[in-house]
Amino acid sequence: MNATDAATLARRAAEVAGTIGDDLPSPCVSVCRMDAERVFCTGCLRTIPEIAGWSRSDAASKRSIWHAIELRASAHADLLRSTGDLTP
């Protein structure tokens, strides 16, 4: 994930986390691959427990996951920009 993709994911996450209602979309972008440390999916920045529990999560939990994605994606974009890594 490059800085642009991370920033786009952060904006999407902020929009979804701020919505009203119980029907929240899945963060999955069909890039189901864990990072080298096996902590986060490189496509949606969710953890394995977040991915596994998504379908059973209530709206508040899903909103919380979206907020966590927003924070992770923003931090990732900032890190990549600060190191000058803008590659796709």
Side-chain angles (χ1 to χ4, degrees), residues 15-24 63:
E15 290 171 8
V16 173
T19 61
I20 297 172
D22 292 344
D23 190 25
L24 298 171
R63 198 166 272 106

Side-chain angles (χ1 to χ4, degrees), residues 26-27 34 39-41 44-57 61-62 64-69 72:
S26 170
M34 298 307 287
V39 176
F40 300 111
C41 172
C44 66
L45 297 181
R46 286 185 292 170
T47 64
I48 290 173
E50 290 168 346
I51 294 166
W54 182 263
S55 64
R56 294 180 307 279
S57 295
S61 295
K62 289 178 178 181
S64 177
I65 292 168
W66 271 109
H67 181 66
I69 292 168
R72 293 170 193 155

Side-chain angles (χ1 to χ4, degrees), residues 4-35:
T4 302
D5 292 341
T8 300
L9 178 57
R11 282 191 301 276
R12 179 176 178 235
E15 290 171 8
V16 173
T19 61
I20 297 172
D22 292 344
D23 190 25
L24 298 171
S26 170
C28 183
V29 294
S30 298
V31 179
C32 304
R33 189 173 52 239
M34 298 307 287
D35 63 8

